[in-house]
Amino acid sequence: MVDARASNELNTIRRFLRLQARGVGLKKTFETLELHERGRDRRTVQAMRLKLEGGAPLSEVFAGLVKDERMQELLVTAERGHHFIEGLEQVLALSTMRRSLEQELRQLARYPLVILTMLFGLGTIYALYIFPKLLAMVELEQMNGMNAVLLSKGFFPGLFLAVVMTAGGLYLCGKRGLIRIPVIERGQRLYVTYLFVSELSLLREGQASIRTIVERLANGEGEVASMAKRVHERMSAGLELEEAARAEPFLDHEVVSLFGVGTVSGELGMIMSLHRDLVFEEMELYWKQLIIKAEPALYGLLTVMVTMMFYTIYLPVQLIMNQL
């Protein structure tokens, strides 16, 4: 249901951009969309039209369709720089890419999850009914080493708890920045770089100075605005844009080097606008490659689990036969 809703929102944005590209006025565009949509989507478009007629800015009007906070900030910046349509196109491209990657990831994990559920069910039946009866026939006191550990009653519950706690701890520490996970960090750097580059390109003005653009980016909320504030503070202390931005851990080094070129040439906005598409392509390619690499790792983990499970099933039987 969530996927269908997200797809409808993206389709509404596509129709809006298509009508705008044909030269249809804003009010007429929303009236056309309202006639086209059905049910909940029609009510959403109607609420957007009423906001527009009430004088609300376009970034606020589209908050009904664009739920992600970072993308809402991108729309605010685009409207502030008088490039709202271009900003909305970037939001649509980024949302479409994220949805496509989520679908690929869901498709990748579907069959391993089915297999894992089946194994969990079989393992539960074995642990509750079969395993205790087999253990009653085995002299555990005479065992040592790995076999004794595998046949202990607390091994699998302890292993499950350790895996869950480790995964949860790594996720929380990575989210709070306490530990560095290079694979995830690279993806985050590309994502934040894309947003920062997009906002710089959307705020381009013919005679605006670099300091003015960064200062305007800092007048907001969110991760990109916080980054712009830190960069602006360093520039106020006498550093150039390239040097001030290089201290940010989530900005790609290639883009930071282009800041210096754009500052010297006075064409930072145009350079960022051209480079934005390259960053997008690199980000999309990176996440797709990551998903491809995750598939053999996931099946490798399942193979280890299946092997361990069948070994623990076979081990008590072998010990019983040896004791006969």
Side-chain angles (χ1 to χ4, degrees), residues 146-157:
M146 192 53 138
N147 290 341
V149 174
L150 287 173
L151 291 179
S152 62
K153 293 182 179 180
F155 174 71
F156 281 102

Side-chain angles (χ1 to χ4, degrees), residues 19 23 67 74 193 202 241 243 282 285 311:
L19 289 170
K67 304 296 175 58
L74 183 61
T193 298
L202 291 171
L241 175 61
E243 190 176 356
E282 186 177 357
L285 179 63
Y311 182 72

Side-chain angles (χ1 to χ4, degrees), residues 115-173:
I115 296 172
L116 188 61
T117 303
M118 293 172 59
L119 286 175
F120 182 76
L122 291 173
T124 302
I125 295 172
Y126 175 74
L128 292 178
Y129 299 103
I130 303 174
F131 193 63
K133 294 180 180 179
L134 291 176
L135 284 182
M137 303 171 64
V138 178
E139 297 178 4
L140 295 177
E141 296 79 7
Q142 299 179 4
M143 298 178 56
N144 53 30
M146 192 53 138
N147 290 341
V149 174
L150 287 173
L151 291 179
S152 62
K153 293 182 179 180
F155 174 71
F156 281 102
L159 179 63
F160 178 77
L161 186 62
V163 169
V164 170
M165 291 183 66
T166 302
L170 287 174
Y171 174 77
L172 290 175
C173 291

Side-chain angles (χ1 to χ4, degrees), residues 61-89:
V61 170
F62 274 86
L65 293 178
V66 181
K67 304 296 175 58
D68 188 272
E69 292 183 0
R70 290 176 176 174
M71 295 187 190
Q72 288 177 0
E73 294 161 12
L74 183 61
L75 290 181
V76 171
T77 303
E79 187 172 20
R80 192 187 304 160
H82 308 292
H83 298 284
F84 182 81
I85 297 299
E86 186 178 349
L88 190 60
E89 289 173 348

Side-chain angles (χ1 to χ4, degrees), residues 85-311:
I85 297 299
E86 186 178 349
L88 190 60
E89 289 173 348
Q90 295 304 314
V91 167
L92 177 62
L94 191 56
S95 300
T96 303
M97 183 202 71
R98 287 178 60 175
R99 176 171 167 72
S100 174
L101 293 176
E102 286 172 2
Q103 286 179 336
E104 289 183 22
L105 190 59
R106 229 179 262 119
Q107 214 168 19
L108 169 66
R110 182 181 304 163
Y111 293 111
L113 283 176
V114 171
I115 296 172
L116 188 61
T117 303
M118 293 172 59
L119 286 175
F120 182 76
L122 291 173
T124 302
I125 295 172
Y126 175 74
L128 292 178
Y129 299 103
I130 303 174
F131 193 63
K133 294 180 180 179
L134 291 176
L135 284 182
M137 303 171 64
V138 178
E139 297 178 4
L140 295 177
E141 296 79 7
Q142 299 179 4
M143 298 178 56
N144 53 30
M146 192 53 138
N147 290 341
V149 174
L150 287 173
L151 291 179
S152 62
K153 293 182 179 180
F155 174 71
F156 281 102
L159 179 63
F160 178 77
L161 186 62
V163 169
V164 170
M165 291 183 66
T166 302
L170 287 174
Y171 174 77
L172 290 175
C173 291
K175 189 174 181 180
R176 296 175 180 175
L178 300 177
I179 60 173
R180 295 180 59 185
I181 305 176
V183 174
I184 303 298
E185 191 178 56
R186 174 62 178 165
Q188 288 178 329
R189 181 182 293 115
L190 287 171
Y191 183 63
V192 174
T193 298
Y194 176 78
L195 291 175
F196 193 72
V197 167
S198 295
E199 297 209 23
L200 276 178
S201 65
L202 291 171
L203 274 178
R204 62 184 182 272
E205 295 178 3
Q207 302 300 321
S209 67
I210 302 301
R211 187 183 301 276
T212 302
I213 294 175
V214 175
E215 186 177 3
R216 290 178 64 179
L217 274 178
N219 292 329
E221 298 179 356
E223 189 171 353
V224 174
S226 300
M227 184 187 304
K229 288 176 185 175
R230 292 192 295 269
V231 172
H232 183 259
E233 289 173 358
R234 297 188 191 105
M235 292 179 69
S236 299
L239 298 179
E240 294 293 333
L241 175 61
E242 180 180 359
E243 190 176 356
R246 200 170 291 281
E248 291 297 324
F250 286 115
L251 276 180
D252 192 70
H253 299 304
E254 181 181 354
V255 173
V256 173
S257 297
L258 290 175
F259 288 165
V261 177
T263 303
V264 173
S265 64
E267 298 179 343
L268 179 66
M270 186 186 69
I271 292 175
M272 291 297 100
S273 181
L274 293 172
H275 197 71
R276 177 184 58 198
D277 295 333
L278 297 178
V279 176
F280 181 85
E281 291 175 6
E282 186 177 357
M283 178 173 58
E284 186 177 26
L285 179 63
Y286 176 79
W287 285 112
K288 285 187 176 181
Q289 289 176 342
L290 195 61
I291 289 175
I292 292 172
K293 291 178 182 177
E295 186 173 7
L298 192 57
Y299 281 104
L301 179 62
L302 280 176
T303 302
V304 172
M305 292 179 63
V306 171
T307 304
M308 185 179 294
M309 181 176 173
F310 277 98
Y311 182 72

